[in-house]
Amino acid sequence: MKANIEDVTVISTLEIYHGVAGGPQTIFANGKHQAFLDIYVVAADSKLNRIELSESELKQVVSLVDYETGERLGAGASQGWEVADDNNGYPPLPAHEKAGEINSHHVKENAPSRLRLYVTCGSQALKRTLNLAVTVRLANGSEYSTSRRSSAHMPGPHGFVTVSAINPFDYSKPELWHIKDGQYNTVVSDLDCQIQVLSVFDNSWSSKYVGKSRFKEITVQCFEGTPGNQIAVDASAVKICELKSYSEIPMLFRSPAQAVAGWNTGDSFNFMSWFIAPKAGTEVGLDHGEVPMESQTANIRRKFKIGNKDNRNFKAATEASNMEFKIYLWTLSVQHSPLTQFGWSNNTGRREVRVTDKFGNQSILALEFEYNKELPRAVE
């Protein structure tokens, strides 16, 4: 009959190792970033026959404790620290890149049972460096521990490991960000981007006052210095804007814009629309179609039109590099003096995006958009 955890009466070897290369581990105190730890156990029955234990069996009897106090991890001075059975997918810092490798030399020599555990530290934890030991409590009531405060202390060279936690990285600081302007690309000039006027006298549309459509790609780059880091920016919760005319009719956007502005210059009216951190492949810009516009004259009706055959008023967003994201600015200028007096309403101001990096750090970055400036700025 196969032996199991209930048959264990003796622990002859109990050791704890870092589960990664590079010595003492450092993690971010964000409650997500993990330290990798390996527990090695050699167990036997009352006749000193070795019993091989599975990970599920080891989980029943193994606990991580504070080496200095013997308290279970998460209690006493280690409040804010937690242990888990599963890897949540955040990689170790570059100094410990060989996560997942086990201490194969130890396995070959002693062939012990092995348990991989993962430790996190929350931002509220007061103690940021811990020496972690391991305790085993058997079904018969026996206890074995590598904690120096335990009455069942098992001395040895591998009785504890040191894990330190550093403050989560704060991406909300404006000084960490550089906003780089891009070059304008004119996609439509003097073609199918028009104000059309219908006279009720002859019931025909006359196309005139053609527009100029162009866009630029603005790069927002972060100067956080952790080697190999990568950020992801989520703008899905950012306010979605519709540029509205004096008649409260929305403009035509290919995908939702997050900020818009309009103004008049001479005999033309203009507007800008910003698309923040669109996913690669998302089409940003102006869509096909038309919207009606109010007129000062009862006998004249006007509409704004982008022709169905013109696909140049929008483009697919490109992939951003590791520590940056993109903002697309689309501008349209239409020569039409009868409409300049009406103008367009602005929908600018503060917009917030969520920035997450590959180590689980997360912050809110605030951007300020102004109706008369093409580039936003990072603000507190």
Side-chain angles (χ1 to χ4, degrees):
M1 189 164 87
K2 183 181 182 297
N4 55 41
I5 188 67
E6 285 77 17
D7 299 316
V8 175
T9 59
V10 177
I11 300 296
S12 60
T13 298
L14 180 60
E15 298 178 340
I16 183 170
Y17 289 81
H18 287 288
V20 297
Q25 293 178 73
T26 299
I27 60 175
F28 285 106
N30 57 25
K32 300 176 182 178
H33 199 212
Q34 295 174 315
F36 297 68
L37 304 179
D38 287 330
I39 313 301
Y40 292 99
V41 179
V42 175
D45 62 17
S46 58
K47 296 180 180 180
L48 299 184
N49 297 310
R50 179 171 292 187
I51 298 176
E52 190 109 8
L53 299 176
S54 67
E55 283 204 354
S56 61
E57 290 176 315
L58 287 172
K59 290 174 185 177
Q60 299 175 39
V61 297
V62 169
S63 301
L64 288 181
V65 298
D66 187 327
Y67 176 77
E68 308 298 336
T69 67
E71 294 176 309
R72 194 182 185 99
L73 184 66
S78 66
Q79 288 185 14
W81 292 75
E82 294 184 2
V83 60
D85 302 331
D86 299 318
N87 183 349
N88 61 17
Y90 297 102
L93 289 172
H96 314 292
E97 287 180 342
K98 294 183 179 180
E101 291 186 5
I102 65 174
N103 296 282
S104 57
H105 66 282
H106 188 73
V107 174
K108 290 176 183 178
E109 290 172 4
N110 295 317
S113 303
R114 168 183 172 266
L115 174 63
R116 163 66 59 87
L117 295 175
Y118 305 89
V119 171
T120 60
C121 177
S123 60
Q124 303 303 313
L126 297 179
K127 192 172 183 180
R128 292 298 180 88
T129 297
L130 286 179
N131 292 326
L132 295 176
V134 59
T135 293
V136 171
R137 292 181 177 87
L138 299 177
N140 64 6
S142 301
E143 179 179 299
Y144 299 83
S145 180
T146 63
S147 168
R148 70 174 186 172
R149 289 298 178 91
S150 173
S151 59
H153 176 61
M154 297 180 68
H158 303 292
F160 72 89
V161 294
T162 301
V163 178
S164 297
I166 57 178
N167 288 333
F169 204 84
D170 185 3
Y171 291 99
S172 68
K173 297 177 180 178
E175 61 269 22
L176 293 177
W177 297 90
H178 172 64
I179 299 178
K180 181 182 177 182
D181 201 0
Q183 296 293 322
Y184 264 121
N185 296 272
T186 300
V187 292
V188 180
S189 181
D190 206 33
L191 176 64
D192 219 6
C193 185
Q194 308 168 3
I195 297 295
Q196 294 185 319
V197 179
L198 172 65
S199 170
V200 297
F201 300 111
D202 59 14
N203 200 33
S204 62
W205 289 102
S206 60
S207 298
K208 58 178 66 176
Y209 311 119
V210 295
K212 183 176 184 180
S213 177
R214 56 184 184 158
F215 77 92
K216 68 168 62 176
E217 190 178 83
I218 299 168
T219 301
V220 186
Q221 184 178 23
C222 179
F223 291 125
E224 194 279 306
T226 302
N229 200 358
Q230 183 173 357
I231 59 171
V233 177
D234 180 11
S236 61
V238 175
K239 182 178 182 180
I240 295 176
C241 300
E242 291 179 334
L243 181 64
K244 300 198 174 182
S245 72
Y246 47 84
S247 57
E248 295 300 303
I249 299 298
M251 276 302 305
L252 304 167
F253 294 122
R254 187 69 174 178
S255 59
Q258 282 81 35
V260 293
W263 73 100
N264 296 319
T265 55
D267 64 350
S268 68
F269 69 91
N270 316 273
F271 73 81
M272 297 188 294
S273 52
W274 291 269
F275 303 85
I276 305 173
K279 293 181 180 178
T282 301
E283 293 176 338
V284 296
L286 307 178
D287 208 352
H288 305 140
E290 58 186 48
V291 291
M293 304 180 72
E294 285 184 356
S295 173
Q296 289 179 308
T297 307
N299 294 332
I300 298 294
R301 285 181 290 168
R302 295 182 172 90
K303 65 180 179 181
F304 178 84
K305 175 185 177 182
I306 297 177
N308 292 332
K309 294 182 179 180
D310 195 343
N311 295 321
R312 294 177 295 169
N313 282 286
F314 58 85
K315 75 175 298 289
T318 59
E319 192 78 45
S321 298
N322 286 352
M323 296 302 292
E324 65 185 35
F325 64 95
K326 304 291 186 180
I327 297 176
Y328 289 85
L329 169 63
W330 213 283
T331 67
L332 183 66
S333 176
V334 179
Q335 302 291 321
H336 193 36
S337 56
L339 291 178
T340 57
Q341 58 189 296
F342 294 105
W344 297 76
S345 58
N346 298 313
N347 199 333
T348 53
R350 183 186 179 94
R351 302 290 186 266
E352 295 180 346
V353 298
R354 182 178 294 106
V355 181
T356 304
D357 69 17
K358 69 185 245 182
F359 302 112
N361 298 311
Q362 181 175 286
S363 309
I364 297 297
L365 169 66
L367 298 169
E368 185 77 21
F369 292 84
E370 300 178 68
Y371 80 93
N372 59 349
K373 293 182 179 178
E374 295 181 346
L375 298 184
R377 57 192 179 93
V379 295
E380 291 285 355

